[in-house]
Amino acid sequence: MSKKVLYELEFPVRCSPGILYEFLSTPAGLQEWFADRVDFRDNVFSFSWNGTAEEAEVIEQEEDEFIRLHWTHAPKDEYFEFRIQISEVTNETILVVKDFAEKKEVKDQSQLWEYQVKDLFHRIGS
């Protein structure tokens, strides 16, 4: 099996960092756009899609800035991250998504994230 590579996607968003962070770091917020059902217990999110469940542990987070999670079934050095940045030039809020995928799957995975983030933006009215 080939080693996965880290890739990064950036999405400008018309939303305050505080509101955006709620959608990225709480069960209620994530359930709005990321999964059908989201639970959180003992620092682990449980995500369900169409009856399939996955768990991700919160590795690190800083309020209104970022949250980094690790799928419990993935290799230890892999994670996915939602980071909120403010453009110094435009003062615009930017959502940065970091994730791992096999090199040949980066394009497909990126499209999946774009679809998910579009749903997020629809939910927050951006």
Side-chain angles (χ1 to χ4, degrees), residues 19-80:
I19 291 171
L20 181 56
Y21 187 76
E22 288 295 310
F23 277 89
L24 305 173
S25 64
T26 66
L30 287 162
Q31 194 166 296
E32 286 284 323
W33 67 279
F34 187 71
D36 298 335
R37 182 171 167 81
V38 181
D39 294 307
F40 185 74
R41 184 177 174 173
D42 298 329
N43 214 37
V44 175
F45 281 102
S46 297
F47 300 106
S48 297
W49 299 270
N50 300 323
T52 302
E54 297 279 349
E55 291 188 336
E57 177 183 9
V58 176
I59 302 172
E60 196 178 351
Q61 70 185 107
E62 190 162 326
E63 190 168 345
D64 296 346
E65 290 193 24
F66 77 97
I67 184 165
R68 181 179 288 182
L69 302 114
H70 171 261
W71 292 114
T72 55
H73 62 80
K76 282 282 183 222
D77 60 343
E78 292 179 13
Y79 61 88
F80 67 103

